[in-house]
Amino acid sequence: MFGEPISVGGRPGGIDAGTETVWVANSADGTVSRIGIESGETVGDSISVPPDPGAIAVGEEAVWVAGNGDGTVTRIEP
């Protein structure tokens, strides 16, 4: 059985999970969204990152996002 869909940004792609949140890279919007694991709802506003974010990785103290549009990696402090 599936739960209700959760709206994030345009063309969600890369996804990774931390201990309390799931992080989603929205390539069409150039943003990253956070979803609370227990609530199943977005947490705060989307975070702007360089164009066309793709792969995403969650570490202990940072979230790393690959920018496919400009060949960069962006560090987000959760």
Side-chain angles (χ1 to χ4, degrees):
M1 175 182 249
F2 295 104
E4 292 294 317
I6 301 166
S7 292
V8 290
R11 208 171 68 228
I15 186 169
D16 199 4
T19 55
E20 298 178 12
T21 55
V22 172
W23 295 79
V24 181
N26 307 303
S27 59
D29 296 354
T31 63
V32 172
S33 298
R34 289 184 293 174
I35 301 168
I37 290 175
E38 289 198 20
S39 70
E41 297 178 0
T42 54
V43 176
D45 294 331
S46 294
I47 300 165
S48 293
V49 293
D52 194 19
I56 192 165
V58 177
E60 287 186 37
E61 297 181 19
V63 176
W64 300 90
V65 183
N68 294 329
D70 66 356
T72 62
V73 174
T74 301
R75 181 180 191 267
I76 299 171
E77 294 183 23

